[in-house]
Amino acid sequence: MDLEKHPAAPAAAAPPAELRASDADRDRIAQILADALAEGRLTSDEHSERLDSLYALKTVGELEGLVRDLPAPGGAHAPFAPTSPVPPAGAPVETIVAVCSSSARKGRWRPGAHTRAVSVMGDITIDLTEAVFEQQVTEVNVTSVLGNVEVLVPENVTLRGYGSGVLGNFEVRGEGRGESDPQAPVVIVRGFALLGNIEARPRPGARLVDLARKLRERKDG
């Protein structure tokens, strides 16, 4: 029998603060900020300011600073830990593809928290004006190569865009409008256009009801 004592294996160290943040890390932080807005922990201005910083910061440590004064999901004041690079179970990513064709999502549909659109010499329309939002933050990731992608949102949502184009166009209209409803959903459009066009804009006359109030009622119930 081997009675020699062996030192215990060291516990796995927490990811360093200098680790580059992934999309999944940002998604988790965006959800914490959305919950804080719905619960009244953040004002609409504070939420918008932190959400803007979220997609500009680069490291895990910088992201942690955005939610250091907020409870983690579930109500526990646990420190932020980066998530895996794959979406969590129950939050699938819907993918819309148009290759030398056209595709559209419109009408009374339920967009998930993440939608991916890829257009290669095709046309895609993502119309959220009649959509049923089940989360505070909805993100649309778009890639357009010699194609055209249009994203339409209700006029009272908070619309934000982060993208670029190479011999193409990436444009978000109505971003940061003062008349946006602070309690309505936040739609984030991120994209890259290569010899293509990506455009996101509000549709005048299309409005949504107070989603934050519904979220609070759901929690209270």
Side-chain angles (χ1 to χ4, degrees):
M1 179 181 295
D2 184 4
L3 299 179
E4 182 182 355
K5 294 183 178 180
H6 299 279
E18 295 78 12
L19 184 69
R20 297 278 294 194
S22 69
D23 287 344
D25 297 334
R26 292 188 174 87
D27 292 341
R28 175 173 171 170
I29 293 299
Q31 187 58 56
I32 295 175
L33 294 176
D35 290 344
L37 174 64
E39 294 167 359
R41 299 180 188 274
L42 293 178
T43 67
S44 58
D45 289 340
E46 290 171 334
H47 177 263
S48 296
E49 181 180 352
R50 297 194 190 193
L51 197 63
D52 283 339
S53 299
L54 173 63
Y55 292 94
L57 300 177
K58 301 298 184 183
T59 67
V60 168
E62 291 172 329
L63 294 186
E64 182 180 352
L66 293 178
V67 296
R68 196 180 302 276
D69 59 342
L70 299 174
H77 291 263
F80 166 71
T83 58
S84 63
V86 297
V93 177
E94 179 178 5
T95 301
I96 306 170
V97 179
V99 180
C100 297
S101 62
S102 62
S103 184
R105 292 291 187 278
K106 58 185 178 180
R108 201 70 174 168
W109 65 296
R110 298 177 184 271
H114 307 280
T115 297
R116 180 183 298 111
V118 180
S119 173
V120 181
M121 299 180 66
D123 295 309
I124 294 177
T125 299
I126 301 176
D127 190 341
L128 298 168
T129 55
E130 297 181 16
V132 179
F133 291 85
E134 296 183 330
Q135 61 280 326
Q136 184 70 29
V137 179
T138 298
E139 183 172 315
V140 181
N141 290 273
V142 182
T143 301
S144 177
V145 180
L146 291 168
N148 181 71
V149 180
E150 183 179 39
V151 181
L152 301 173
V153 302
E155 65 176 359
N156 62 323
V157 306
T158 298
L159 178 63
R160 304 201 181 280
Y162 306 89
S164 61
V166 175
L167 298 177
N169 177 62
F170 178 88
E171 181 178 5
V172 175
R173 302 184 190 177
E175 186 178 12
R177 298 186 330 278
E179 64 268 22
S180 296
D181 186 345
Q183 301 300 328
V186 177
V187 176
I188 299 170
V189 179
R190 295 200 286 169
F192 174 73
L194 175 62
L195 295 168
N197 179 66
I198 299 172
E199 180 181 347
R201 61 182 176 84
R203 171 175 284 176
R207 298 181 64 84
L208 289 179
V209 297
D210 183 349
L211 178 64
R213 175 176 54 81
K214 288 186 175 182
L215 292 174
R216 287 195 294 269
E217 290 175 353
R218 185 184 305 172
K219 292 181 179 180
D220 295 338

